[in-house]
Amino acid sequence: VRLVESGGGSVQAGGTLTLSCEVSEYTLSTYCMGWFRQAPGKEREGVAAIDSDASVWYADSVKGRFTISKENPKDILYLQMNKVHTADAAMYYCAIDYRRCTIVAGMFGPPSYMIAGQGTQVTVSS
């Protein structure tokens, strides 16, 4: 499986940014795809995920502001970020788990089971 993120950049607080992740080389009927982020000096934090049954999950910190979606059959995962806060600044990673989403310790699956992309940086200016 291959994941390639794009769309990161600099945005003003209150603004909007949309991240994309092209997912390829997989043939899974059961999966969990999502986004997590990591800021310098902070722990990895799950942001949003979408299950193969189309159910979605959001971290409390982004509920009502971020929207995760998946475009089929192109297998592109999106994260639309609205009303961005300075606290949203981080490296954002797209990831896939070959199992259903399991919310554990703020992540949508055990990191050891996930395959992630290289990440895309989001910078927020106040």
Side-chain angles (χ1 to χ4, degrees), residues 7-125:
S10 183
V11 61
Q12 280 195 321
T16 297
L17 198 64
T18 300
L19 307 182
S20 302
C21 174
E22 294 189 40
V23 187
S24 60
E25 301 175 16
Y26 85 102
T27 53
L28 302 170
S29 58
T30 300
Y31 58 80
C32 178
M33 291 185 185
W35 296 89
F36 67 88
R37 65 190 181 187
Q38 189 163 21
K42 294 189 177 182
E43 291 190 1
R44 180 168 29 198
E45 175 190 22
V47 175
I50 186 164
D51 196 286
S52 47
D53 69 356
S55 59
V56 296
W57 167 83
Y58 295 97
D60 287 344
S61 59
V62 306
K63 274 182 186 174
R65 300 188 299 119
F66 290 11
T67 302
I68 189 170
S69 60
K70 183 174 178 289
E71 181 181 340
N72 299 313
K74 293 182 179 180
D75 291 326
I76 300 176
L77 189 69
Y78 297 101
L79 183 70
Q80 182 172 343
M81 306 166 60
N82 296 330
K83 299 179 182 178
V84 174
H85 298 166
T86 54
D88 295 322
M91 184 72 83
Y92 282 72
Y93 299 87
C94 170
I96 185 169
D97 187 333
Y98 290 100
R99 306 166 306 162
R100 301 288 297 276
C101 294
T102 305
I103 309 306
V104 177
M107 279 291 287
F108 47 90
S112 59
Y113 284 88
M114 290 184 184
I115 298 172
Q118 294 299 306
T120 186
Q121 183 71 46
V122 173
T123 303
V124 183
S125 57

